[in-house]
Amino acid sequence: MRQSQLFTKTRREAPKDEVAKNAQLLIRAGYIHKEMAGVYSYLPLGLRVLNKIADIVREEMNMIGGQEVLMSALQDPNVWKITGRWDDKVVDNWFKTKLKDGGEVGLGHSQEEDLVRIMTMHASSHRDFPKAIYQIQNKFRNELRAKSGLLRGREFIMKDLYFFARSESELADFHERAIEAYLKIFERVGIGPRTFRTFASGGSFSKFSDEFQMLCEAGEDTLYLNREKKLAVNKEVYNDEVLEELGLDKSELSEEKGIEVGNIFKLGTRFSEPLGLRFKDEQGKEQPVLMGCYGIGLGRLMGAIVEALGDEKGIVWPETVAPFRAHLIDLSGGNAEVKKEADELYRELTEGGFEVLYDDRDLRAGEKFGDCDLIGIPLRVVVSEKTLTAGKFECVERKSGKTSHLSTSEMLNTLSHA
Ligand code: ATP
Ligand code: MG
C-alpha cells in the first residue's frame, strides 16, 4: 500500500484524556479512532492487525475442533430469564434497550444462554456430542471504568468458544487441549514468554478458572508467579490452602502485575440444565450436558502487545501480527532515479508476496523516520541516493535496530526465511 493513499495520518499528540499507553500509541499512529471512553473504531492499519490476530485465533480454535458461528448481538430476554441472569443484580454491566412495542432486548455481553438454546434444536443424542462452537464478535459491557484503551472497552471484540461435553472427563480433556491452544496463540502473537496460565476464582462449577495473564506493569491484576513451573495464582484466590493444593511454595513466587488476555471456565450444567439441553446415552437414558467457556479479547490482546513491546519511539509489532511486513521509505528528495528504484523495489517485494507499506510521500527524512518508528512495522527499508550508489538497500529491524545492507534478492530471501 502506498502511504500517500492511506487516508489516516499520524499525529504528534494523543487525545488529552487518553492515559493508556496502548491507546495513545495506536491513536497517534492512526490504527484506531476514539469515539468516546471505552469505544474505539478500527482504521485500516488497525483492522489489518486485528484480522491477523483473528486469523491466528481461528486457526488454533479450528485445530481443536471448533466450528465457527456468528450469533446476533441483540439478545432475547426470555432465554436469560429462564436461567435467572436477566436480572440487573445478577449481571450488572449489561446494556439493555427498549423496543418500540414495549419489549426489551440485551446487547451481547456473553452468549451462553443464546447458544444453549440453539444447541437444543440440533443436539440430543450422545452421537451429537462433544461439540466446540465459537465466534469472533463484538461484545458490549457497561464497564464502570474505561480508561485503559483497548484493554477495557465498553464495546470490544471477543472470541468466545463454548464446549458441550457428555462427561466430566470429556470436559477435562478438552479443557487441557484448549489451554495448549491458548498458549500457542499467545506464543504466535509474540507474547508467549511473558504470558502465564493463572489460577483464578472459578465461579459456580469448579474451584478455579484458568486465566492467561500477560505480565505488564499497566495490568489491573496482581498475581504470584512461579516462572519455572510457568504457573501463577491470582491474588483473588491466593492463600496458604490454595498454594498447598497447587503444590506451590510461597518462597518461589514473585508478585507481578498482569493483563488478563484470556479466561476459561468450567460451567458444568449451570446453563444446560435450566434450558433443557440433555442427551440420550447409549442406554437411551437422558443425561445432562456439561459445558465450558473459553474467551479471548482480541482488541485487548492487540492493546497488550502494544503495552508490552512498544518503546519510547512507538509501537513494535511482532511479524505475525504487523499490518505490513516491511516499511519501504523513499528518500529520493526529488531525485528521479532514486524514485524509480524505490518504485521498482516496491513492485518486486509486493510481487514476491510481501505486504509492504510504501512511504512515497513528499516529506522530510526526519518525519518519515518518525512515522516509521511510531507505526512499528518490523523491517524498515530505505532507498536513497546513498543506497543507489552502494547498490544495496539499508534494512533496519524495528525491534533491535540491527542494520544490514541487502540487494533485492537478498531481501526477498531474508523476508521469506524470517
Ligand atoms: P475482566 O476480568 O478483565 O473484567 P472478564 O473476566 O469479565 O474480564 P470474560 O467474560 O472472561 O472477561 O471475557 C473473556 C475475555 O474477554 C477476557 O479474558 C478479556 O481478554 C476479554 N475482555 C473482557 N472484558 C473486556 C473489555 N471490557 N474490553 C476488552 N476485552 C475484554
Ligand atoms: Mg476475568
Side-chain angles (χ1 to χ4, degrees):
M1 170 169 227
R2 285 176 181 267
Q3 210 167 338
S4 59
Q5 300 303 307
L6 187 65
F7 86 83
T8 58
K9 305 276 193 299
T10 59
R11 38 183 182 140
R12 243 175 256 281
E13 306 286 339
K16 285 214 171 48
D17 60 339
E18 193 63 84
V19 293
K21 170 181 171 183
N22 72 87
Q24 288 180 347
L25 289 176
L26 289 165
I27 291 171
R28 284 184 50 215
Y31 283 84
I32 58 174
H33 171 76
K34 183 178 190 167
E35 301 289 349
M36 55 187 135
V39 183
Y40 297 88
S41 293
Y42 288 83
L43 305 178
L45 293 176
L47 186 58
R48 291 179 81 101
V49 175
L50 187 69
N51 284 338
K52 292 201 173 167
I53 294 175
D55 286 346
I56 290 172
V57 169
R58 234 181 225 118
E59 265 178 46
E60 296 300 335
M61 291 302 102
N62 292 344
M63 290 277 272
I64 56 171
Q67 299 183 28
E68 189 172 2
V69 295
L70 180 59
M71 295 171 67
S72 71
L74 294 184
Q75 300 178 299
D76 175 6
N78 293 317
V79 68
W80 295 82
K81 284 176 183 163
I82 297 171
T83 61
R85 289 217 288 175
W86 182 251
D87 190 334
D88 289 341
K89 288 194 277 301
V90 180
V91 179
D92 64 2
N93 60 3
W94 206 338
F95 285 108
K96 294 171 181 171
T97 188
K98 296 238 173 340
L99 293 173
K100 291 208 170 183
D101 68 5
E104 246 189 319
V105 295
L107 261 67
H109 70 292
S110 191
Q111 301 210 262
E112 288 81 2
E113 279 81 341
D114 308 322
L115 184 58
V116 170
R117 183 165 63 176
I118 292 176
M119 287 305 282
T120 59
M121 311 293 287
H122 296 274
S124 58
S125 154
H126 61 93
R127 289 183 209 88
D128 299 328
F129 296 95
K131 286 286 175 286
I133 296 160
Y134 75 99
Q135 61 178 340
I136 293 175
Q137 184 218 36
N138 283 32
K139 293 278 186 285
F140 303 87
R141 291 186 188 176
N142 199 344
E143 302 276 4
L144 191 59
R145 288 173 55 250
K147 291 188 181 146
S148 311
L150 292 186
L151 302 182
R152 187 169 294 287
R154 295 198 167 113
E155 176 177 353
F156 59 96
I157 298 164
M158 194 201 287
K159 184 283 299 176
D160 43 333
L161 181 146
Y162 304 88
F163 187 66
F164 300 89
R166 292 168 294 193
S167 65
E168 291 210 23
S169 69
E170 201 164 74
L171 181 60
D173 282 351
F174 183 81
H175 202 75
E176 291 309 312
R177 289 178 67 205
I179 287 169
E180 289 306 311
Y182 269 39
L183 292 173
K184 246 167 99 190
I185 289 169
F186 301 128
E187 190 67 46
R188 289 182 66 185
V189 303
I191 59 166
R194 63 183 85 212
T195 304
F196 298 91
R197 178 180 179 181
T198 303
F199 292 91
S201 64
S204 48
F205 182 68
S206 65
K207 182 150 188 194
F208 299 114
S209 74
D210 287 283
E211 289 181 346
F212 294 82
Q213 293 278 356
M214 188 200 79
L215 303 190
C216 180
E217 273 311 306
E220 289 179 5
D221 290 306
T222 302
L223 27 136
Y224 296 90
L225 171 68
N226 182 320
R227 266 183 202 272
E228 240 160 81
K229 292 187 176 159
K230 294 186 186 300
L231 281 184
V233 182
N234 193 310
K235 191 176 185 177
E236 64 190 20
V237 296
Y238 178 81
N239 61 45
D240 290 338
E241 194 187 312
V242 164
L243 292 184
E244 194 177 334
E245 187 177 337
L246 299 173
L248 294 170
D249 192 301
K250 235 180 200 153
S251 64
E252 298 160 355
L253 302 177
S254 61
E255 189 181 289
E256 312 277 351
K257 287 279 176 199
I259 296 171
E260 179 205 301
V261 285
N263 203 180
I264 67 188
F265 292 89
K266 287 180 179 159
L267 304 172
T269 58
R270 167 72 181 88
F271 306 110
S272 51
E273 192 53 56
L275 292 166
L277 179 62
R278 296 188 199 91
F279 70 93
K280 279 208 172 75
D281 67 15
E282 283 169 57
Q283 283 72 46
K285 199 166 153 247
E286 282 216 331
Q287 303 284 357
V289 171
L290 300 173
M291 289 176 63
C293 70
Y294 305 78
I296 293 185
L298 303 201
R300 183 180 288 187
L301 191 49
M302 179 167 160
I305 295 167
V306 175
E307 291 283 342
L309 308 180
D311 62 20
E312 67 289 341
K313 290 188 276 184
I315 299 167
V316 181
W317 293 116
E319 276 149 22
T320 48
V321 301
F324 294 92
R325 188 65 183 75
H327 201 160
L328 176 60
I329 313 278
D330 149 35
L331 289 188
S332 57
N335 181 327
E337 216 180 322
V338 176
K339 182 98 195 164
K340 205 173 128 224
E341 177 101 341
D343 282 348
E344 177 65 14
L345 181 59
Y346 175 57
R347 193 180 59 76
E348 280 176 299
L349 290 178
T350 307
E351 280 173 8
F354 300 103
E355 294 170 308
V356 177
L357 182 61
Y358 177 23
D359 191 350
D360 57 341
R361 300 171 304 169
D362 191 14
L363 290 177
R364 285 184 299 108
E367 270 180 87
K368 290 194 171 197
F369 288 146
D371 278 0
C372 185
D373 284 338
L374 179 61
I375 291 171
I377 292 166
L379 190 69
R380 177 175 93 192
V381 180
V382 177
V383 184
S384 65
E385 270 175 34
K386 214 166 88 195
T387 67
L388 189 67
T389 318
K392 301 232 179 186
F393 305 103
E394 184 191 270
C395 302
V396 184
E397 283 176 23
R398 173 67 180 87
K399 188 168 140 199
S400 62
K402 201 175 132 239
T403 304
S404 48
H405 295 88
L406 304 175
S407 66
T408 306
S409 64
E410 286 167 340
M411 205 183 311
L412 285 167
N413 204 30
T414 309
L415 285 171
S416 54
H417 289 93

